[in-house]
Amino acid sequence: MRYRIVHTTRYVYDDDVTGSFGQFHLRPRDLPWQQLAAHEVSVGPSPDTLARHTDLYGNTKTVFHVTTPHRLLEITGTSVVDVAAPDVDPEAFATPWERARPASRADVEDAWRALDFTFASPRVAIPDAAREYADASFGAHRPVGECVLDLMHRVHADFTYAPGVTTVNTGVGELLVRRKGVCQDFSHVMIAALRSMGLAARYVSGYLATTPPPGKARLVGADATHAWVGCWLPGGDWLYADPTNDRLIDTSHATVAWGRDYGDVAPVRGVIFTDSKKSELDVSVDMAPADEGVPDPVPA
Amino acid sequence: MSDLAAYRGAHRDVYDELREPDGAVRPGWDAVAGPMAEYLGNGALARAEAQGARLLNDHGVTIVEQQSPTILDDPPPRGDGVPDRLAAPSPWRLDPIPAVFGAREWQALADGIAQRTRLLDAVLADVYGPRTLMAEGLLPTAAILDHAEYLRPLVGGGVPSQLLVHAVDLGRDASGAWVVMSDRTQAPSGAGYALMNRRVTARVLTDVSSATPIARLSPFFAALRQALTDAAPAAAADPRVVVLSPGPLSETAYDQALLAATLGFPLVQGSDLTVRDGRVFMRTIDSRQPVDVVWRRIDSKWADPLELRAGSRLGVAGLTDCVRRGTVSVVNTLGSGALENPALLPYLPRLCVELLGENLKLGSVATWWCGDAASLTHVLAHLDSLVIRTTSRSGGRGILGGRLTAAQRDRLARSIRHNPQRYVGQEILPLSTTPAADGGGVVARTLSVRAFCVRDGASFQVMEGGLARSGAVEDDRGDVVVTSPGRASSKDVWVVRDDAAPVVARDPVADLRLAASVSGGESAVPRVLSDMHWIGRYAERGESLARLLLAAPVVMDDAARAGDRWRSEASRRYREAITHVTGAYPGQLDPAAPFRDEVLALLRDPLRPGSIAQSLARATSSAQEVREQLSEDVWLVLSAAERALENLPAIGDPVTPSQLIEANERMLTAFLALAGVVGDNMVRDPAWHMLDAGRALERAIQAVRLIRATLAGPRVSPEQGLIDAVMTALESIVTFRRRYPARRTVTAVVELMVLDERNPRSVAFQLRRLGGDLTRMPGASQGSRAVRLAEAAQEMLAGVDPQRVAALGEDGGRDALEEWLDVLASALHDIGGAIEATYLKRPPTQRVMAADAWETDE
């Protein structure tokens, strides 16, 4: 599927902002199942500096600095991507979960990199409750792929999608009690559960098609940035599960960036200098199917 | 208690620094022990201890002792990095008896330290660069990845990570061999304290130190200065280095300020720096000066609220981006704290062979990293005999397994099993014993040493000296490794040369005083200017109140002699004026309030508005903020003043008039001395002009307030005693009597104290002085608002007829004077506001951009 994605973030302030330092992850990744055909980001007012680099996890991160006094900051990313459903190696999928723990796989060349995703991270604590929750999905020697799917089903069934109940700072412990939240919270809970078992789990930030393919229902989390979970499989593949929609990712999911949790890959974050007391934030995302023949607006 | 000659170590089976097991004096000490024992005999040791303590106190040498939680406690929430509780600085403790080592032993140790620094430098470059050591399993990978200071935004940034400054905490094992207890790679503190310890010890033991060939500290500081300058990006022609401090509330604020002053680099805080066009600049009132090297004394995490810890107010937004661009160098490079990780210790011997092709010369305390299965088993089985630490220092202080209750031990074991990669068990080092001064006697104490190493071109140089710490033997058996250096006493470290090299008469950096003036042209940073301005204002406010209180008897005695109610009305007015001037209501407006208690409170109660104690405390706290700007003599003055207040009876206790007078006189002397020190020793740079402007403004304000509160409005009659008291308080009574022998009237007061531009105590004089200060500020050519307001106030005074404003109104009062002084007071207030807005303004508030669409309440 080819999509055209437009992601706009606007900050409105009630007084002049004399400096905005920001960083964003808006550029979809090139992956075996996803190709970036075109990409462009505009920042207004025009920034004094803007530099992009590839971070530790291979994401494209951009840092910018606006010094023109402003009351409106607008960042728009426009991307054209071709997305297929990722392949999963059935053999890796069938590995007993105990053997999918990077710490126990010194024999696998890249296991040490996956180790990075097995620990608690700034926004994903691993309370005892996470392990207790996870436990039911991890029967002895059960294939890791089944464990992930089962856990995903349970998170989807046990948690209610409810915008406005949580914030980016709501912790896993609290989420496990409240059992309400948005895609970020679903993902953080599932990551904590996977990590509590010693598995490597990462947070993926991306987009979900706004208009469903013909005959399919509209998915939850469209019109906003979306998030899901990757679980490491020995051999180097990752299994990507979307607990908000109770499915493995497919042609509706466009991947932008991954990290240990939301904090590593927040679409836009920053620091401003102002005496302003109030700011409003407005985010809009549109991910619509695009004609394969549509010429690329800008080179990728 | 014994003296040095009779000193023996605490236990036969523990290594003693002074004596071999057979009683012979060890190399190093052999050159020193004899003369020192002689010099310190006959009660001289107690005097040396007292003199040392006084010197440290006089120079304001302090450490802020933070109660840090142990690894069993919950870590305190820290949002922006700024301490929310004001921990008062404690005096720095120094034992006059140094730790002494022979040059040969020290050289071997130094070689080991330098090798270790080289090794850690290579490890740092790898974990933030190619990361091959983790891939090859040569590092405890989980302990590196799961470390609080392993900062992912710095990984693979293209700029190589480097260790420029490294410190090691050393102790001896049972065999007497040195081992490293921990490495400090983040932002090692203590080199400044080592320097101060040298200065004080050299002074206290002059006869011994000047006769001993002690290795000098100056080569280390020269190398440090060079290393910092050399760290600049290649493009910088004349590199500017700044020292980035977390501020005067940080634990080692003194250390930072002394080093900055010694090296001659500006001491800045995060808010003094700003990023423009991908470069770091120092914000001054009229310009931005590019910064090439940031020597940070803040932990990396806090260095950049954009890419590192969001919400930090200690750092510089955009710093990481500048580092990536290569426009600025941060020392040590951001993320270097990742090597303050005890899990590394068991891996160092092999790493040293792999990376340097050498055997590790200097070992570490035996350490078991729980991320390794066999080590985990060992630690859990030996909890009672080990120190348990977390791999990240932010995990809390280590604890002795043997001192835990059964419940605590279970809790700890559970935490370890839960996250084994975050824990290590370490052997309890026996440590050596060393002679230490204790209330005039010599006792055995444990010894540990912090040694410092700095990059020196292609190699590394170790300070020939260091910061030693001695603690009580019984407490320290084991505990020393888990307490902060602040709790025990520090010691100077003498490396005694045995090569018969000529004794160097004077170590240039070991002079007790820094250069009298350390201020330079770079001080136009608004934060610094603000503190200087307020030092001036509080010093003047304190001086005014001391004079006001001292002049009270003039009117009181006068009233008492006459004994009639008219005259006591004058004394009442004066007493009320004290309250009006200070703003310490209700104060003397309550007729029943005893005057003597009020004076005592105004002297020593820091919570009383306008009190001398408050002015002194605030001047001192501002001075601490800008310590590197001030002559060290300032601390002599401030500590003398503090002592004078401490000697007064407690509030509520009986106090005699002579005690009050004496304290007031001492305070006056102190404030005058402060003016003298500042006036004589400081370069006339923007910081000085702001301080002087503060003095001038406050003096004018105080004069206007006093005259208004005593001589304006309803008239007391007769008022001669009151007029004389006012003129005494305003320090112009001599001139007044001489110039107006027959006619000491209110008109004359107005003429001399408000209008006369030649009287250095008059309001008009202060306005001219203010104008002078302000026109010398950078950017003043554009005619700042403060300058214009000062000029306008001067014009307002020109051509005023004192007779007319001081004239009595129809009701017999001086309403015109009251009104006129009110206008003048408000003009002065406006000048203060304009100074604030023009020169002292802080940057706009730093806020976090809201995070994303689902965020509703941040």
Side-chain angles (χ1 to χ4, degrees):
Chain A
M1 280 295 284
R2 169 162 286 201
Y3 293 99
R4 184 166 187 274
I5 303 164
V6 181
H7 175 182
T8 303
T9 307
R10 299 158 137 263
Y11 294 94
V12 181
Y13 307 102
D14 66 351
D15 199 350
D16 278 355
V17 172
T18 50
S20 276
F21 285 95
Q23 63 172 44
F24 53 78
H25 291 94
L26 295 175
R27 186 179 205 268
R29 294 184 65 130
D30 274 313
L31 298 164
W33 64 92
Q34 172 176 300
Q35 285 76 46
L36 182 62
H39 177 70
E40 182 188 57
V41 179
S42 68
V43 178
S46 164
D48 302 24
T49 61
L50 184 142
R52 77 181 190 197
H53 70 278
T54 304
D55 73 10
L56 168 65
Y57 302 123
N59 308 306
T60 301
K61 175 168 134 186
T62 305
V63 179
F64 67 90
H65 187 193
V66 174
T67 55
T68 311
H70 55 279
R71 292 183 180 207
L72 166 70
L73 179 72
E74 186 170 270
I75 301 150
T76 301
T78 308
S79 311
V80 177
V81 285
D82 296 311
V83 186
D87 288 334
V88 178
D89 172 14
E91 199 182 318
F93 187 93
T95 314
W97 69 267
E98 296 90 339
R99 299 272 299 147
R101 292 180 297 189
S104 66
R105 294 306 298 269
D107 57 312
V108 177
E109 197 183 325
D110 249 22
W112 73 273
R113 279 185 205 276
L115 211 51
D116 203 8
F117 299 95
T118 61
F119 310 119
S121 54
R123 287 167 193 270
V124 177
I126 310 178
D128 289 346
R131 183 171 177 123
E132 286 156 19
Y133 183 80
D135 205 52
S137 298
F138 290 84
H141 315 305
R142 191 175 187 189
V144 62
E146 279 184 27
C147 296
V148 171
L149 285 173
D150 187 63
L151 183 65
M152 176 184 80
H153 295 323
R154 288 176 51 227
V155 171
H156 180 74
D158 294 344
F159 286 70
T160 309
Y161 187 87
V165 178
T166 55
T167 75
V168 290
N169 296 318
T170 307
V172 169
E174 193 186 334
L175 292 171
L176 281 164
V177 175
R178 287 220 215 163
R179 307 228 165 171
K180 277 182 189 161
V182 293
C183 55
Q184 179 200 22
D185 306 311
F186 282 58
S187 299
H188 280 168
V189 165
M190 186 165 164
I191 289 168
L194 290 167
R195 289 181 185 168
S196 77
M197 305 309 290
L199 298 171
R202 67 190 178 197
Y203 180 98
V204 186
S205 166
Y207 304 111
L208 201 53
T210 316
T211 320
K216 299 244 174 125
R218 197 168 183 283
L219 294 174
V220 176
D223 301 326
T225 55
H226 193 51
W228 55 92
V229 176
C231 178
W232 183 75
L233 306 178
D237 271 354
W238 292 69
L239 181 62
Y240 294 100
D242 177 354
T244 314
N245 290 297
D246 197 20
R247 59 202 278 183
L248 295 178
I249 66 163
D250 55 29
T251 54
S252 305
H253 295 76
T255 301
V256 174
W258 59 62
R260 293 166 302 158
D261 58 35
Y262 167 81
D264 281 346
V265 290
V268 179
R269 67 178 245 201
V271 173
I272 57 172
F273 291 90
T274 183
D275 294 322
S276 162
K277 296 281 179 282
K278 216 176 114 205
S279 80
E280 280 170 28
L281 168 64
D282 176 50
V283 177
S284 72
V285 173
D286 183 67
M287 175 168 161
D291 194 334
E292 300 277 339
V294 168
D296 300 343
V298 280
Chain B
M1 290 286 170
S2 64
D3 59 18
L4 201 56
Y7 169 86
R8 295 291 180 277
H11 305 280
R12 279 201 68 82
D13 54 347
V14 169
Y15 185 99
D16 186 67
E17 297 290 339
L18 175 58
R19 292 186 190 278
E20 313 256 8
D22 65 4
V25 173
R26 292 187 191 273
W29 266 111
D30 55 1
V32 179
M36 201 180 289
E38 203 171 305
Y39 184 70
L40 292 178
N42 292 327
L45 181 55
R47 284 197 297 279
E49 286 181 81
Q51 191 195 357
R54 190 177 53 72
L55 284 170
L56 291 167
N57 186 42
D58 285 351
H59 287 79
V61 187
T62 54
I63 184 160
V64 180
E65 291 174 353
Q66 314 266 11
Q67 262 311 343
S68 53
T70 74
I71 59 173
L72 276 178
D73 301 322
D74 290 328
R78 301 203 323 190
D80 55 9
V82 182
D84 37 33
R85 206 160 35 83
L86 289 179
S90 320
W92 178 253
R93 283 184 292 274
L94 172 65
D95 179 344
I97 300 177
V100 180
F101 304 102
R104 198 159 306 161
E105 182 189 10
W106 188 266
Q107 190 52 52
L109 179 60
D111 287 348
I113 295 167
Q115 183 202 45
R116 198 177 174 97
T117 311
R118 258 193 306 141
L119 175 59
L120 291 180
D121 182 48
V123 173
L124 187 67
D126 181 75
V127 297
Y128 282 101
R131 307 212 295 175
T132 51
L133 296 175
M134 282 191 273
E136 290 168 10
L138 288 167
L139 284 174
T141 306
I144 300 285
L145 295 174
D146 193 25
H147 192 276
E149 286 289 333
Y150 185 58
L151 303 180
R152 286 158 181 78
L154 277 311
V155 177
V159 179
S161 289
Q162 272 200 335
L163 207 54
L164 239 82
V165 188
H166 172 217
V168 288
D169 286 344
L170 298 155
R172 290 194 201 262
D173 67 12
S175 74
W178 287 111
V179 294
V180 173
M181 299 189 285
S182 65
D183 292 282
R184 299 298 168 122
T185 58
Q186 173 79 269
S189 61
Y193 286 122
L195 182 57
M196 196 63 196
N197 281 354
R198 171 61 53 88
R199 291 174 178 167
V200 171
T201 306
R203 169 83 87 84
V204 170
L205 300 179
T206 308
D207 289 14
V208 184
S209 64
S210 58
T212 311
I214 307 168
R216 299 160 46 177
L217 303 182
S218 47
F220 175 82
F221 291 97
L224 177 58
R225 184 188 282 125
Q226 192 62 46
L228 289 168
T229 312
D230 288 351
D238 183 15
R240 182 191 304 271
V241 182
V242 298
V243 182
L244 177 58
S245 162
L249 297 179
S250 76
E251 212 168 348
T252 57
Y254 179 83
D255 190 60
Q256 298 154 18
L258 183 64
L259 281 173
T262 302
L263 300 177
F265 299 138
L267 185 70
V268 301
Q269 295 176 21
S271 60
D272 301 334
L273 300 178
T274 182
V275 167
R276 279 297 161 106
D277 299 322
R279 282 213 66 173
V280 177
F281 292 87
M282 189 160 84
R283 283 177 352 109
T284 65
I285 50 173
D286 63 327
S287 67
R288 285 193 294 265
Q289 303 179 356
V291 169
D292 303 295
V293 179
V294 175
W295 185 25
R296 62 182 172 86
R297 291 296 297 265
I298 61 175
D299 289 357
S300 303
K301 267 209 259 202
W302 302 98
D304 181 0
L306 178 62
E307 293 197 57
L308 302 173
R309 176 131 187 173
S312 165
R313 293 194 186 279
L314 305 180
V316 187
L319 182 63
T320 314
D321 186 43
C322 295
V323 166
R324 219 179 273 122
R325 288 168 182 267
T327 58
V328 70
S329 301
V330 178
V331 174
N332 289 329
T333 48
L334 292 171
S336 66
L339 298 192
E340 292 191 354
N341 184 343
L344 283 172
L345 301 178
Y347 289 78
L348 292 182
R350 182 163 171 216
L351 277 168
C352 193
V353 172
E354 296 281 343
L355 290 174
L356 306 182
E358 301 168 14
N359 286 319
L360 186 67
K361 292 176 186 166
L362 178 60
S364 321
V365 63
T367 302
W368 291 266
W369 174 51
C370 298
D372 172 78
S375 300
L376 173 63
T377 310
H378 178 91
V379 169
L380 291 175
H382 297 89
L383 269 188
D384 284 356
S385 58
L386 296 173
V387 180
I388 309 299
R389 294 176 188 285
T390 49
T391 52
S392 302
R393 280 173 67 199
S394 55
R397 279 184 294 128
I399 47 182
L400 286 170
R403 292 206 184 155
L404 299 177
T405 63
Q408 286 175 321
R409 199 157 41 230
D410 288 350
R411 226 177 94 209
L412 180 61
R414 228 175 68 81
S415 304
I416 294 175
R417 283 201 195 88
H418 215 73
N419 280 302
Q421 77 282 357
R422 290 190 181 170
Y423 291 87
V424 297
Q426 287 185 319
E427 175 192 65
I428 299 168
L429 263 195
L431 297 178
S432 54
T433 54
T434 189
D438 181 16
V442 177
V443 298
R445 290 270 161 86
T446 57
L447 182 77
S448 54
V449 173
R450 176 167 293 186
F452 302 90
C453 186
V454 64
R455 185 176 291 269
D456 184 5
S459 61
F460 288 91
Q461 186 181 138
V462 175
M463 182 195 285
E464 280 194 284
L467 182 61
R469 172 193 188 279
S470 67
V473 172
E474 293 318 315
D475 282 3
D476 264 11
R477 220 77 339 226
D479 214 13
V480 61
V481 282
V482 287
T483 48
S484 64
R487 293 234 330 244
S489 205
S490 71
K491 279 171 172 289
D492 189 15
V493 173
W494 288 9
V495 176
V496 178
R497 310 183 70 103
D498 44 14
D499 54 3
V503 177
V504 179
R506 221 161 175 81
D507 188 341
V509 298
D511 284 334
L512 194 54
R513 278 153 205 241
L514 292 173
S517 167
V518 293
S519 186
E522 321 192 80
S523 44
V525 173
R527 176 186 56 81
V528 171
L529 296 179
S530 175
D531 283 311
M532 296 300 281
H533 185 68
W534 284 100
I535 292 171
R537 289 200 63 170
Y538 283 117
E540 186 65 33
R541 192 174 298 178
E543 181 190 327
S544 295
L545 182 54
R547 289 189 189 284
L548 188 56
L549 295 175
L550 280 170
V554 174
V555 61
M556 306 269 194
D557 293 352
D558 200 33
R561 257 199 313 279
D564 75 314
R565 85 188 165 84
W566 294 111
R567 294 199 178 213
S568 55
E569 189 186 314
S571 102
R572 161 108 264 124
R573 174 70 77 89
Y574 191 82
R575 286 158 57 171
E576 286 175 5
I578 292 173
T579 301
H580 288 306
V581 167
T582 55
Y585 296 107
Q588 290 295 298
L589 300 191
D590 173 5
F595 185 58
R596 217 180 275 171
D597 292 356
E598 178 77 8
V599 174
L600 181 61
L602 284 174
L603 268 164
R604 74 164 301 171
D605 183 358
L607 301 176
R608 180 68 67 105
S611 70
I612 286 178
Q614 190 190 60
S615 296
L616 182 66
R618 293 195 175 165
T620 305
S621 119
S622 282
Q624 277 162 352
E625 287 264 2
V626 290
R627 180 184 288 276
E628 76 290 352
Q629 299 282 331
L630 299 169
S631 153
E632 292 209 359
D633 292 345
V634 163
W635 304 99
L636 288 172
V637 172
L638 290 173
S639 64
E642 244 160 65
R643 274 200 300 275
L645 290 186
E646 279 163 13
N647 287 338
L648 277 169
I651 290 160
D653 285 357
V655 60
T656 65
S658 65
Q659 279 176 314
L660 293 174
I661 290 169
E662 192 189 324
N664 261 319
E665 281 170 346
R666 278 173 193 266
M667 296 316 293
L668 184 56
T669 312
F671 286 121
L672 289 174
L674 190 60
V677 168
V678 169
D680 289 350
N681 297 351
M682 273 191 68
V683 172
R684 267 44 173 176
D685 61 4
W688 183 86
H689 285 295
M690 268 298 108
L691 186 145
D692 194 62
R695 292 191 72 98
L697 181 61
E698 188 70 25
R699 184 172 288 186
I701 290 172
Q702 293 293 334
V704 169
R705 278 196 195 161
L706 180 59
I707 296 169
R708 188 196 180 286
T710 49
L711 305 177
R715 175 174 185 255
V716 282
S717 175
E719 60 184 358
Q720 197 59 61
L722 187 60
I723 290 174
D724 285 356
V726 168
M727 293 308 284
T728 306
L730 295 176
E731 181 51 12
S732 295
I733 187 72
V734 176
T735 317
F736 191 54
R737 288 216 174 96
R738 203 174 52 229
R739 197 185 299 176
Y740 308 96
R743 198 178 53 88
R744 303 202 306 276
T745 62
V746 174
T747 303
V749 169
V750 170
E751 195 167 77
L752 185 61
M753 297 318 304
V754 183
L755 303 175
D756 187 345
E757 281 200 353
R758 290 164 309 158
N759 178 11
R761 294 269 156 191
S762 77
V763 176
F765 186 94
Q766 308 319 318
L767 287 171
R768 210 169 59 175
R769 179 177 168 194
L770 257 175
D773 284 325
L774 297 179
T775 47
R776 284 177 186 80
M777 291 300 288
S781 53
Q782 302 126 23
S784 79
R785 199 170 111 77
V787 175
R788 285 199 307 276
L789 286 173
E791 281 166 359
Q794 273 175 283
E795 277 161 29
M796 184 186 133
L797 295 186
V800 164
D801 175 7
Q803 200 103 45
R804 204 164 50 77
V805 289
L808 290 171
E810 284 171 10
D811 59 355
R814 293 197 184 86
D815 295 347
L817 182 59
E818 191 171 272
E819 261 171 51
W820 184 66
L821 289 174
D822 282 346
V823 172
L824 191 51
S826 119
L828 292 170
H829 177 85
D830 290 347
I831 294 172
I835 290 176
E836 199 64 53
T838 310
Y839 305 111
L840 316 179
K841 210 174 126 197
R842 305 290 183 100
T845 316
Q846 172 190 311
R847 292 180 187 280
V848 175
M849 259 184 211
D852 206 358
W854 49 60
E855 181 166 4
T856 53
D857 67 353
E858 191 170 300

